[in-house]
Amino acid sequence: MNRDYVKIANNIHLHYRSTGEGKTIVLFHPSPRSSKIFEPFSALLTPHFRVIMPDLFGYGQSDSLPISINSLYDYLPYLKQAFDKLGLKNFALYGSATGAQLAIAYTKTYPDDVSALFLDNAAEFSDKQRNDILENYFVDATPKADGQHLKNLWEHLKKSLYHFPWYSEKAEDKIRETLLPESVEAEICNEILKDSLIGGVHYADAYKAAFEHERAENILSLRVPTTIFRWAGSPILKYIDQLLVHDFPDNIKIVEISVENRYAEMIDKMKKTS
């Protein structure tokens, strides 16, 4: 696994991980994580692809942008600069959750760059669902002298292991029936908390923009070969299924994958269609 930076205009640095050789596939991570979460996945991809995993600006080890983020499209000119500097052309693109929405936006804007698009945890929300999430989902990460912001983030992360949205107590929003061991809970929450704190008060910028973008119309307008993965273990399966009720054009395929062999089955599809 290699790690490096690419410098673009205004002395902004994009950090990325890379591994493997051959056809290039770029992976866009969820919020508020970084490309580090893709290290196990990339190890499986390496025999088949050259894998590029950027940290989105403001996350991981990438610099923040000198602009206010109001839309996923605010990131795109900077990503395009970085990818051009890296010589990335005609690459496959995979995104999960926020990364899926970012991948859709990138592909809509620069379709000639993307040979095939793979969407994991891509969903659709009604306006009512979206507004409820945007109003209640995100925790204020402004540092407080008593550390209350850390307690609030921790509660949000812990509850997110069991419900989506995390603040809901409805049975229909439960995503896990049994409690995890406390040590596992703590390890998961601690890793995401660290990533959230790197993002600081702006940890939710891309996350909020992704929820705004999570609309079927954005996928229906795509013209490149696109695969939407559906797997029963997804925490947002209910909202994936809301997306899948639409009639998609021939370039967009739905692929059902198992929980047990999720990554192997995704890679098999990627090899065939990239």
Coordinates of all heavy atoms in Angstrom, one line a residue, residues 7-8 38 47 114 159 171 197 205 232 247:
K7 N -0.6 17.9 -5.2 CA -0.8 19.3 -4.9 C -1.5 19.9 -6.1 O -1.1 19.8 -7.3 CB 0.5 20.0 -4.6 CG 0.3 21.5 -4.2 CD 1.5 22.1 -3.7 CE 2.5 22.4 -4.8 NZ 3.7 23.2 -4.3
I8 N -2.6 20.7 -5.8 CA -3.3 21.4 -6.9 C -3.3 22.9 -6.6 O -2.5 23.3 -5.8 CB -4.8 20.9 -7.0 CG1 -5.5 21.0 -5.7 CG2 -4.8 19.4 -7.4 CD1 -7.0 20.7 -5.8
F38 N -10.9 1.5 3.3 CA -10.9 0.7 2.1 C -9.7 -0.2 2.0 O -9.6 -1.0 1.0 CB -11.0 1.5 0.8 CG -12.3 2.1 0.5 CD1 -12.5 3.4 0.0 CD2 -13.5 1.4 0.7 CE1 -13.7 3.9 -0.3 CE2 -14.7 1.9 0.4 CZ -14.8 3.2 -0.1
P47 N -5.3 -7.8 -7.1 CA -5.0 -8.7 -8.1 C -5.6 -8.4 -9.5 O -5.2 -8.9 -10.5 CB -5.5 -10.1 -7.6 CG -5.6 -9.9 -6.1 CD -6.0 -8.5 -5.9
V114 N -15.1 8.4 -16.8 CA -15.5 7.2 -16.1 C -16.0 6.2 -17.1 O -16.9 6.4 -17.9 CB -16.7 7.6 -15.1 CG1 -17.2 6.3 -14.4 CG2 -16.2 8.7 -14.1
K159 N -25.6 4.9 18.9 CA -27.0 4.7 18.5 C -27.1 4.3 17.0 O -27.9 3.6 16.6 CB -27.9 5.9 18.8 CG -28.2 6.0 20.3 CD -29.2 7.1 20.6 CE -29.5 7.2 22.1 NZ -30.5 8.3 22.4
A171 N -39.4 0.6 15.6 CA -39.0 -0.8 15.3 C -38.6 -0.9 13.8 O -37.6 -1.6 13.5 CB -40.1 -1.8 15.6
L197 N -13.5 13.9 14.3 CA -12.8 15.0 15.0 C -11.8 15.6 14.0 O -11.5 16.8 14.1 CB -12.1 14.6 16.2 CG -13.0 14.2 17.4 CD1 -12.3 13.6 18.6 CD2 -13.9 15.4 17.8
D205 N -20.1 18.2 6.4 CA -20.3 19.0 5.2 C -20.7 18.0 4.0 O -21.7 18.3 3.3 CB -19.0 19.8 4.8 CG -18.9 21.0 5.6 OD1 -19.8 21.3 6.5 OD2 -17.9 21.8 5.4
A232 N -28.6 -7.4 1.6 CA -29.6 -7.4 2.7 C -29.1 -6.9 4.0 O -29.9 -6.5 4.9 CB -30.1 -8.9 2.9
D247 N -37.9 2.7 -12.8 CA -37.5 2.1 -14.0 C -36.2 2.7 -14.6 O -36.2 3.9 -14.9 CB -38.6 2.2 -15.1 CG -39.9 1.4 -14.7 OD1 -39.7 0.4 -14.1 OD2 -41.0 1.9 -15.0

